[in-house]
Amino acid sequence: MVDVVREFVAGLTLEGFEPVNEQWERSAIAEAVAQPSRRTAYPLALDSGTHGIRVDAMLGPVALTGLDDIEGAFLVDLGGLKGRKIRFGDYTTEVPALQESLF
């Protein structure tokens, strides 16, 4: 598919642009999100309350996070925070009881 797009772009006359032949590589900060491991969806909505999450890795709007005093990792879609005001501080997350997936 890349060759088809390159051939198409090569036929265009776009001033100031030329195709670049380089391989995309995932950044180190995104690698941990993409690797398979045991993690849980963050159990609380981000639109209210306080959240004491520590961001360990990011891939797009998805963050791999940790919580103080809680073992394990959580995936959080931070896209819901777009356009919201965030106050940084020393917050904690009141995590509800969680059950591991049965299947």
Side-chain angles (χ1 to χ4, degrees):
M1 185 53 83
V2 171
D3 291 334
V4 171
V5 172
R6 285 184 188 284
E7 187 176 322
F8 175 75
V9 171
L12 298 176
T13 53
L14 301 172
E15 269 187 51
F17 295 95
E18 65 183 72
V20 176
N21 188 18
E22 64 183 38
Q23 183 69 31
W24 176 79
E25 293 183 26
R26 188 180 297 131
S27 70
I29 192 135
E31 191 65 32
V33 176
Q35 294 301 315
S37 68
R38 292 187 67 116
R39 59 227 29 223
T40 305
Y42 187 68
L44 302 172
L46 295 176
D47 59 358
S48 64
T50 61
H51 304 274
I53 58 176
R54 177 190 68 248
V55 175
D56 295 328
M58 291 281 302
L59 180 58
V62 178
L64 181 65
T65 64
L67 302 172
D68 292 341
D69 303 325
I70 303 274
E71 199 171 315
F74 294 90
L75 286 174
V76 181
D77 182 359
L78 298 178
L81 295 177
K82 188 174 185 177
R84 294 187 176 272
K85 189 177 284 191
I86 299 171
R87 293 189 193 121
F88 293 96
D90 189 20
Y91 299 110
T92 59
T93 298
E94 295 294 326
V95 180
L98 299 173
Q99 179 178 340
E100 297 261 341
S101 174
L102 299 176
F103 302 96

